[in-house]
Amino acid sequence: MYFFSSSLTVALTAFSLGSSALPNPTTRSSLTLPVGLNKTVSNEDRAAAVKEAFTSAWNGYYKYCFGQDELHPVTNTCGNSRNGWGASAVDALSTALVMQIPDIVNEIVQYIPTIDFSRTSTEVSLFETTIRYLGGMLSGYDLLKGPLSSLANDTSNVDALLTQARKLADVLKYSFNTRTGIPSNGLNISQKTTDGSTVNGLATLGTLVLEWTRLSDLTGEPEYAQLTQKAESYLLRPQNPALGEPFPGLLGTGIDINSGNFTDSNGGWSGGDDSFYEYLLKMYVYDTSRFGAYKDRWIAAADSTIKFLASHPSSRPDLTFLAQYRGTDLVFSSQHLTCFDGGNFLLGGEVLKRQDYIEFGLALVNGCHATYISTATGIGPEVFSWNTTALPPTQAAFYQKNGFWIQNGNYITRPEVIESYYHAYRITGNPMYRDWAWDAFVAINATTRTSTGFSSISNVNVFGGGQKFDNQESFLFAEVLKYAYLIFAPDDVWQVAHNGVNEWVFNTEAHPFKVAGPPV
């Protein structure tokens, strides 16, 4: 069991916030945090509080569900939604590393060699398995072979991370055995069959290349990179752009596995499409010498996004959101998932030395911040809209004040808003973004925390968050608590824009990889 305490703590019930986060007293957490107005809490104490939250959640998972995928933190039962291989453990590794908690690191690296990736009773998502398991192991290997090598008690367990990553990829690679090389996403690995789908998605297809290329670079075996880069080629050079590319660089969502053609013109930066655009830029960050074409496609998408998708609610024209699209018709709805967009534009602006991308990214961060400070919990909703033609009368006043209305009020401990705050702080140095991240962390802690972890909630716009759904996603460990920690932590080599360059690049699950090319 691992506990972290700060020397300057009192009960959370005494905190004071500069935002509108006002937790229901009946749901306040027992976590102790530094007292004071938001801006008077030191960043050292903020980092300590996030680290305490991580260790507390780890303790709950370790006690009740270690080796299974996730804890149900209300009933303290377990779930296996990610193949039953211990997703929370693998996802937590890189966060335990950057927080430098050796006991947790060693528990995880001792466990990973015991996983049999050839056996599961569930359907396997190629995408989810790649970003969580493959990404988590490769990141752990990079960090433990590099700047954090002193944290591992047994170097053979570190070597096993790469061995296990390769074994997992070998289990999954049959999915690419199609006419085009475009993989199926839903897999039955015991039978080496698929779910029979004839279409893959933009994000599920376009968010493999970083992890599989890193595996090739570490093992010296080019097959893994070749498989994913061939599949990615259909996205870099659409075969039927009249349908599949309604705006320059902005693509449809469905790709026919047998032909490589796009099946629709619908898309945006929301779930199902999001991380494709993220990885166009991050492949260039990973290696500028090999992936310039990815950067060019990101620029095309970014420019079209600014020109065609940027949208300002009628009641709050000061806010900027990204619309989705059906063909060239805009859909004025967005998601918590989409809120990574500000961080991605900021990273692009920093890497490419484009102030216009930085300014646009900051506008997007501000829009997503508005979704947090407008609700009763201080947490943003899963889905929101500024489409006034569908505005429910019961939300008219809310829309008039805040510039959006809530379509789905769930919060499943998603990271994207804090992720963008992190990038905004790292790239601008403006301490306001640290304050915003602290407000968000305190609100999440106050509303979602249980005695053993953090639970998804049903309604961000009622005090206390409504019903607890009794599920703790593995990305709470990988993303939410990592970004919340890093924004307050001292500078280090794995941080974005360390000394003005990026020596590491984060996958979409926030697992940092050592870049292969010259840092930019």
Side-chain angles (χ1 to χ4, degrees), residues 79-260:
N80 284 300
S81 66
R82 300 297 170 203
N83 318 333
W85 296 330
S88 288
V90 180
D91 248 358
L93 175 58
S94 63
T95 305
L97 281 162
V98 298
M99 289 182 176
Q100 300 186 50
I101 311 174
D103 290 336
I104 297 178
V105 168
N106 283 286
E107 284 180 343
I108 298 171
V109 298
Q110 289 164 16
Y111 164 71
I112 287 175
T114 71
I115 302 172
D116 183 353
F117 288 119
S118 69
R119 298 173 63 88
T120 180
S121 61
T122 67
E123 182 178 287
V124 171
S125 164
L126 176 63
F127 162 75
E128 295 286 0
T129 303
T130 291
I131 66 173
R132 302 190 198 213
Y133 287 103
L134 194 59
M137 290 187 289
L138 293 174
S139 178
Y141 182 83
D142 270 345
L143 290 165
L144 285 167
K145 284 292 187 179
L148 296 171
S149 59
S150 64
L151 294 180
N153 294 337
D154 186 342
T155 57
S156 67
N157 288 331
V158 179
D159 294 332
L161 294 174
L162 184 59
T163 301
Q164 285 287 76
R166 185 169 185 168
K167 286 181 179 179
L168 176 58
D170 286 342
V171 167
L172 299 172
K173 67 184 181 182
Y174 80 88
S175 62
F176 294 88
N177 293 334
T178 64
R179 178 181 174 186
T180 57
I182 295 172
S184 297
N185 185 61
L187 308 178
N188 180 334
I189 60 172
S190 61
Q191 301 296 320
K192 291 193 179 300
T193 58
T194 74
D195 62 3
S197 296
T198 59
V199 175
N200 204 335
L202 186 64
T204 48
L205 175 58
T207 317
L208 307 171
V209 65
L210 177 58
E211 293 83 356
W212 289 64
T213 297
R214 185 61 184 152
L215 180 60
S216 280
D217 289 348
L218 288 172
T219 62
E221 173 51 63
E223 178 187 20
Y224 308 112
Q226 290 169 353
L227 288 171
T228 54
Q229 290 174 27
K230 180 181 179 182
E232 185 87 9
S233 70
Y234 291 92
L235 310 180
L236 296 174
R237 297 178 295 277
Q239 295 185 145
N240 58 331
L243 177 67
E245 193 171 356
F247 304 104
L250 295 174
L251 306 181
T253 296
I255 303 95
D256 186 276
I257 292 171
N258 294 314
S259 70

Side-chain angles (χ1 to χ4, degrees), residues 394-476:
T394 55
Q395 294 201 56
F398 184 91
Y399 171 76
Q400 192 60 35
K401 178 181 178 182
N402 300 306
F404 69 96
W405 54 275
I406 297 172
Q407 289 183 287
N408 181 333
N410 296 170
Y411 175 67
I412 63 169
T413 62
R414 289 203 187 277
E416 292 80 16
V417 173
I418 296 177
E419 174 184 352
S420 284
Y421 294 166
Y422 168 73
H423 283 84
Y425 171 71
R426 291 296 308 175
I427 289 165
T428 70
N430 188 336
M432 175 181 71
Y433 298 110
R434 280 178 153 175
D435 294 340
W436 289 5
W438 179 243
D439 289 350
F441 168 72
V442 170
I444 291 165
N445 183 81
T447 310
T448 72
R449 190 161 178 166
T450 72
S451 62
T452 54
F454 293 80
S455 176
S456 302
I457 56 173
S458 65
N459 192 343
V460 297
N461 205 34
V462 297
F463 294 112
Q467 176 187 356
K468 282 186 167 62
F469 287 145
D470 197 20
N471 192 56
Q472 178 179 271
E473 290 278 359
S474 70
F475 52 67
L476 172 88

Side-chain angles (χ1 to χ4, degrees), residues 343 346 365 415-429 433-434 437 482-489 491-492 494-498 502 506:
L346 283 157
V365 173
E416 292 80 16
V417 173
I418 296 177
E419 174 184 352
S420 284
Y421 294 166
Y422 168 73
H423 283 84
Y425 171 71
R426 291 296 308 175
I427 289 165
T428 70
Y433 298 110
R434 280 178 153 175
K482 181 184 285 104
Y483 285 124
Y485 174 78
L486 288 178
I487 195 171
F488 305 124
D491 193 20
D492 219 317
W494 49 78
Q495 294 267 28
V496 165
H498 170 68
N502 295 278
F506 290 75

Side-chain angles (χ1 to χ4, degrees), residues 379-401:
I379 304 170
E382 178 75 356
V383 185
F384 59 95
S385 176
W386 56 106
N387 177 8
T388 56
T389 64
L391 175 61
T394 55
Q395 294 201 56
F398 184 91
Y399 171 76
Q400 192 60 35
K401 178 181 178 182

Side-chain angles (χ1 to χ4, degrees), residues 270-287:
S270 294
D273 305 299
D274 45 6
S275 46
F276 162 69
Y277 299 107
E278 178 185 358
Y279 273 30
L280 291 178
L281 176 65
K282 289 185 173 180
M283 288 303 292
Y284 178 71
V285 176
Y286 178 70
D287 193 342

